[in-house]
Amino acid sequence: INIYPNPILDVINVKSSILIEEINIFDYFGKLVLAKKESTKEIQIKNDYLSSGSYIIVVKTQQGEFKDKIIVK
C-alpha cells in the first residue's frame, strides 16, 4: 500500500494492489477524524479538514490492516 505525499499539503493519495475496503484516520489522542468506506484500489482524499500535525492512517483490505504515520503541513 502506498500513501503519498508525506508530508501532506492538500491531497492524500492511497494506492494498493489489493482492494481497499475502508480508510480511517486518527489523531494522536486516538480520536477518529475521518472514516471512509470504499471498494477500490485507489483513493484520493482532499485535506480540507485536517489541521497541521501527525496522524495515524489505517487502511483496511481483504488481507488485513495497514497502519502508517502521516504528517499534515
Side-chain angles (χ1 to χ4, degrees):
I1 295 176
N2 294 320
I3 301 168
Y4 63 93
N6 197 6
I8 296 159
L9 296 174
D10 45 344
V11 175
I12 304 166
N13 296 290
V14 182
K15 287 188 180 181
S16 174
S17 59
I18 309 162
L19 203 62
I20 297 168
E21 297 175 342
E22 187 176 346
I23 293 179
N24 294 312
I25 298 178
F26 298 89
D27 66 15
Y28 258 63
F29 298 106
K31 179 181 174 187
L32 181 66
V33 293
L34 172 87
K36 195 168 186 79
K37 292 195 178 211
E38 295 285 338
S39 185
T40 185
K41 292 184 177 183
E42 186 174 334
I43 298 173
Q44 191 173 65
I45 304 168
K46 287 188 177 185
N47 180 26
D48 294 335
Y49 44 83
L50 296 176
S51 57
S52 296
S54 297
Y55 296 85
I56 299 294
I57 186 168
V58 180
V59 181
K60 294 183 182 179
T61 70
Q62 294 174 335
Q63 294 183 353
E65 290 185 353
F66 174 82
K67 296 178 184 177
D68 201 3
K69 177 182 169 183
I70 56 174
I71 298 170
V72 176
K73 290 272 183 177

